[in-house]
């Protein structure tokens, strides 16, 4: 199987709504190369978390990692969205937050809104389709991690 | 009622277009089956036995006449001319074609309606008291809070992939008509709160295969913290709810596994962290929302004209009977709340044809400020009718078979669509409903039986809330045949209880006779003016069991499965 690509999300804020730009920034590291283990930290400051990991159990404060990856073993398991929100809002984690595993382009906007800024996607991802999907909804009721307040929270 | 502003309209237009794109990609073979299933469910679209089924949201059961007319057009254009109102105050269309659903939704978006989050593992339609804003026992109108919750939960980025569906109900009255104890989260405005709204919060209630009554997790939650607190509950549920078994994935299982005290500690600590970054709702937002629901069009001269009601009742016994059973007092003098019964003999409970919808929309415009409500009992209400107009309205309703004077009686039953429409169902429910209607067609007999709620589900998923009926009927499948279990003693409100199973199930040709035996036993044992539920509470299942099963040894032998 082709090695997945890494896509960077760029917010383009406007007055009332925001669009998102997507650009391919590289390839994913081949699996099992640098990771020590789940919850382990690799040499280059990457931390990998799975759905059952909890932010309060991290070996050191989130800010010490350059990249935190949250893995989705199956696309309809939503735990990673809450982990991302906790890291961004409660732990003020400012490094790179990457979504890996089974994620689909129709989920990209909500991943972004929860604070992910890079997505690991299949090598054959259609970038134009991704950009359409991620910008399908630009008006939001809720506060977003990057944008702050929505209309009700 | 809440009127959309520009961002509301923009969001709905974008969502409608997004879903149309997803349908088109699926039809073009660009979306995998498993992914499209999840995406369509988040927009109310099921693939059922005969065709797709689309569930359209009616937020907290409130409709404008224009919206009801639009539903009638949808029924005509995309369906077979009718819709089915559900126990969650929504409406379902059973016959749209998948390719037409995007256009159907585009039509509905013109009247600010949609199918967002009416199914799937997300926060579903917020339900409430059908008498909100008009009930005499109301502490505060719950609808502004419902609308705030609706907006907050709509396309919430964190909670689109929960372990399972999530239902929230809100009541602002002393008598709970929204079954808040039987929702994932139930909210009840607390009395003596002073100027600021305070909620009692219930969590972990639900029906289905393992019914639970909710438990109180917060006795006095300030309204300004409502969204933060609900967010804390949902985050704990999203992170810790079971995902290995869909039958154990509802929050009720988590709450009961941890125990309410441990669950509360987790929620409270999450809530504390959330409050550090999100202060809560401003009083200004709450006030703005309240302003949408203030009704000020009442006619001050209405009470003076109410003499006509007495006059009309005296000269027409049928009308008087309808007034007694299908109307209730409004808190504004000179007005009544009226129930249009969707339980006419021979009709499928909750079904209404396009003509009926349009007629009711017209009556709402003429008599009730153009507003219609859907009740959890699957009837429609006109909430603000002048007493002097009741006779004219009654005559109009009769033409459309919407005036069956059976509200609150046995034949005002709640019923899911059952195995005739639903691919989950084990047994037909509509056939049984029809047999019950035939057997109990004598109004005087129905009135003698008094207040009884009969609730029927075609399978253990309990869409018909059989656990909460004074009498519940549950369809089960045995040896490929439809069988029916009776439960007695359920109730949804302040006296909430989960019904108890009476005994072995009955075949389709036995269930109505069994029901009749239960009712005969009630008539034999009741004290003067004692309701069915009170007789049952006094005596329990035993005398009913004896009445129904008689020679129990014989029945056990033949029915053991």
């Amino acid at each position: 199987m082709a090695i997945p690509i890494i896509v960077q999300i760029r917010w383009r804020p406007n007055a009332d709504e925001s669009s998102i730009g997507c650009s391919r920034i590289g390839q994913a590291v081949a699996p099992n190369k640098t990771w020590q283990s789940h919850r382990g930290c690799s040499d280059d400051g990457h931390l990998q978390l799975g759905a059952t990991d909890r932010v309060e159990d991290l070996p050191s404060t989130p800010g010490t990692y350059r990249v935190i990856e949250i893995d989705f073993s199956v696309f309809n398991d939503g735990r990673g969205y809450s982990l991302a929100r906790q890291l961004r809002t409660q732990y003020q984690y400012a490094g790179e937050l990457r979504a890996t595993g089974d994620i689909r382009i129709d989920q990209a906007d909500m991943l972004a809104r929860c604070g992910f800024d890079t997505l690991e996607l299949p090598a054959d991802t259609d970038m134009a389709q991704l950009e359409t999907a991620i910008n399908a909804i630009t008006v939001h009721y809720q506060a977003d991690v990057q944008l702050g307040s929505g209309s009700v929270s | 009622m809440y009127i959309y502003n520009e961002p509301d309209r923009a969001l709905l237009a974008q969502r409608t277009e997004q879903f149309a794109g997803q349908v088109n990609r699926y039809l073009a073979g660009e979306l995998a089956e498993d992914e499209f299933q999840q995406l369509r469910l988040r927009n109310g679209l099921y693939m059922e036995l005969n065709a797709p089924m689309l569930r359209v949201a009616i937020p907290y059961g409130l409709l404008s006449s224009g919206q009801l007319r639009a539903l009638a057009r949808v029924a005509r254009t995309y369906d077979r001319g009718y819709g089915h109102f559900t126990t969650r105050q929504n409406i379902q269309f059973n016959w749209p074609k998948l390719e037409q659903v995007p256009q159907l939704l585009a039509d509905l978006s013109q009247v600010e309606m949609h199918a967002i989050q009416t199914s799937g593992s997300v926060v579903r339609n917020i339900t409430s008291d059908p008498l909100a804003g008009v009930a005499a026992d109301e502490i505060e109108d719950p609808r502004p809070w419902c609308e705030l919750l609706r907006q907050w939960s709509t396309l919430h980025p964190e909670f689109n992939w929960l372990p399972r569906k999530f239902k929230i109900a809100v009541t602002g009255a002393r008598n709970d008509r929204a079954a808040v104890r039987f929702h994932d989260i139930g909210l009840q405005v607390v009395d003596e709160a002073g100027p600021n709204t305070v909620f009692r919060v219930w969590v972990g209630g639900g029906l289905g295969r393992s019914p639970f009554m909710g438990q109180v997790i917060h006795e006095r939650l300030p309204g300004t913290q409502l969204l933060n607190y609900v967010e804390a509950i949902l985050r704990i549920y999203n992170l810790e709810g079971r995902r290995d078994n869909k039958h154990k994935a509802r929050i009720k299982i988590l709450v009961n596994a941890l125990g309410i005290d441990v669950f509360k500690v987790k929620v409270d600590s999450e809530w504390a962290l959330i409050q550090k970054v999100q202060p809560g709702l401003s009083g200004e937002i709450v006030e703005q929302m309240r302003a949408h629901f203030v009704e000020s069009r009442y006619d001050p001269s209405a009470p003076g004209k109410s003499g006509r009601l007495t006059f009309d009742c005296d000269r027409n016994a049928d009308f008087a009977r309808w007034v007694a059973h299908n109307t209730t007092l409004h808190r504004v003098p000179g007005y009544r709340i009226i129930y249009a019964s969707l339980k006419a003999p021979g009709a499928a409970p909750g079904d209404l044809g396009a003509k009926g919808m349009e007629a009711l929309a017209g009556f709402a415009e003429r008599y009730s400020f153009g507003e219609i409500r859907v009740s959890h009992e699957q009837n429609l209400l006109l909430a603000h009718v002048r007493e002097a107009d009741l006779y004219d309205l009654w005559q109009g309703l009769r033409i459309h078979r919407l005036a069956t004077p059976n509200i609150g009686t046995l034949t005002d039953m709640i019923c899911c669509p059952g195995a005739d429409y639903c691919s989950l169902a084990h047994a037909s429910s509509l056939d049984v409903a029809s047999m019950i209607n035939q057997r109990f067609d004598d109004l005087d007999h129905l009135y003698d039986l008094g207040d009884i709620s009969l609730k029927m589900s075609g399978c253990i998923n309990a869409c018909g809330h059989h656990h909460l009926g004074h009498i519940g009927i549950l369809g089960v499948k045995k040896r490929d045949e439809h069988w029916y279990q009776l439960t007695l003693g359920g109730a949804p409100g302040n006296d909430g209880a989960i019904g108890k199973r009476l005994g072995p199930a009955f075949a389709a040709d036995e269930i109505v006779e069994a029901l009749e035996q239960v009712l005969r036993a009630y008539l034999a044992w009741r004290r003067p003016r004692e309701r069915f539920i009170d007789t049952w509470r006094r005596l329990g299942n035993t005398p009913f069991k004896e009445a129904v099963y008689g020679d129990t040894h014989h029945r056990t032998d033949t029915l053991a499965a």
Side-chain angles (χ1 to χ4, degrees), chain B residues 82 119 449 558:
Chain B
Y82 65 96
S119 61
L449 292 169
T558 55

Side-chain angles (χ1 to χ4, degrees), chain B residues 13 43 62 132 243 332 344 381 446 475 510 520 551:
Chain B
N43 212 48
L62 197 58
R243 291 172 186 266
V332 175
L381 282 73
L446 280 181
E510 298 175 324
R520 277 205 203 111
D551 181 354

Side-chain angles (χ1 to χ4, degrees), chain B residues 412-489:
Chain B
D412 182 13
M413 52 193 140
I414 288 185
C415 187
C416 72
D420 299 312
Y421 291 98
C422 175
S423 56
L424 300 173
H426 293 147
S428 171
S429 43
L430 296 176
D431 289 350
V432 175
S434 160
M435 287 190 289
I436 292 170
N437 257 312
Q438 282 163 24
R439 181 78 65 108
F440 298 92
D441 63 348
D442 180 73
L443 278 175
D444 290 326
H445 182 44
L446 280 181
Y447 296 156
D448 184 36
L449 292 169
D451 285 347
I452 294 185
S453 77
L454 174 62
K455 305 189 179 188
M456 184 157 38
S457 306
C459 77
I460 194 68
N461 290 313
C463 295
H465 297 196
H466 63 276
H467 300 107
L468 302 185
H470 297 164
I471 301 175
I473 298 178
L474 165 65
V476 293
K477 197 170 240 177
K478 288 193 207 177
R479 298 182 296 265
D480 256 2
E481 288 169 7
H482 297 181
W483 289 70
Y484 299 89
Q485 272 175 6
L486 277 174
T487 58
L488 301 184

Side-chain angles (χ1 to χ4, degrees), chain B residues 71-310:
Chain B
L71 292 174
R73 282 195 297 277
V74 164
R76 274 213 187 88
T77 312
Y78 303 99
D79 203 280
R80 297 190 177 174
Y82 65 96
H84 174 78
F85 289 95
T86 76
T87 54
R88 302 206 68 258
Q89 303 180 303
N90 292 318
I91 185 168
Q92 295 178 179
F93 294 104
N94 278 300
W95 305 97
K97 293 192 178 62
L98 176 59
E99 311 80 70
Q100 293 185 325
V101 168
Q103 187 57 49
L104 187 169
L105 290 170
D107 293 356
L108 281 180
S109 71
Q110 299 302 309
V111 291
E112 304 174 359
M113 295 192 85
H114 56 77
I116 298 170
Q117 289 169 215
T118 54
S119 61
S121 297
V122 287
V123 179
R124 302 288 191 86
N125 187 27
I126 312 294
T127 56
S128 189
D129 184 352
L131 306 187
V134 293
D137 67 339
E138 190 166 271
I139 299 158
E140 182 180 331
D141 189 341
R143 293 171 301 174
W145 300 100
C146 292
E147 178 58 25
L148 285 164
L149 282 163
R150 182 195 75 79
Q151 295 189 14
W152 173 84
S153 61
T154 295
L155 305 183
H156 195 295
E158 185 179 344
F159 303 125
N160 200 41
W161 304 94
L162 296 170
R164 198 80 172 81
K165 59 189 168 185
F166 202 92
K167 300 172 178 178
I168 303 177
V170 192
T171 180
R174 288 183 179 81
N175 291 302
D176 170 20
R177 287 172 290 263
V180 297
R181 290 159 183 77
F182 297 97
H183 281 75
D184 296 288
I185 292 179
L187 298 160
Q188 186 170 29
V189 175
V190 178
D191 209 351
E192 302 122 25
N196 300 316
T197 308
V198 174
F199 289 100
R200 179 174 296 119
V201 185
W202 307 73
V203 71
L207 301 175
R209 152 184 332 248
S210 349
F212 283 106
M213 187 145 92
Q215 301 181 69
V216 175
I217 185 168
H218 204 305
E219 280 287 357
R220 297 185 67 81
L221 178 73
T224 50
Q225 284 300 315
L226 180 64
L227 300 184
N228 280 345
Y229 197 73
V230 170
E231 180 169 324
I233 292 176
L234 272 164
R235 182 170 294 152
I236 297 299
Y237 171 55
N238 193 36
L239 287 170
E240 304 209 5
R242 285 181 62 173
R243 291 172 186 266
D244 58 326
N245 178 345
K246 81 177 247 197
H247 299 309
K248 299 198 182 296
R250 295 285 293 271
I251 196 174
K252 61 191 173 186
I253 304 293
L254 177 66
V255 170
N256 282 279
L258 294 174
I260 185 69
D261 296 333
V262 172
F263 184 76
K264 183 176 165 54
V265 167
K266 285 173 182 279
V267 168
D268 283 347
S269 83
E270 193 64 32
W271 181 35
L273 293 170
I274 290 171
Q275 282 182 80
K276 283 188 190 165
V277 283
Q278 294 168 200
L281 281 164
S282 72
E284 193 188 356
I285 282 188
V286 176
E287 277 315 310
Q288 282 170 2
M289 196 53 87
R290 282 195 178 119
H292 283 281
F293 296 94
V294 175
E295 185 52 74
S296 55
R297 289 169 286 180
Y298 297 113
D299 170 11
S301 71
K305 298 170 186 159
S306 291
R308 190 183 153 191
L309 176 59
T310 323

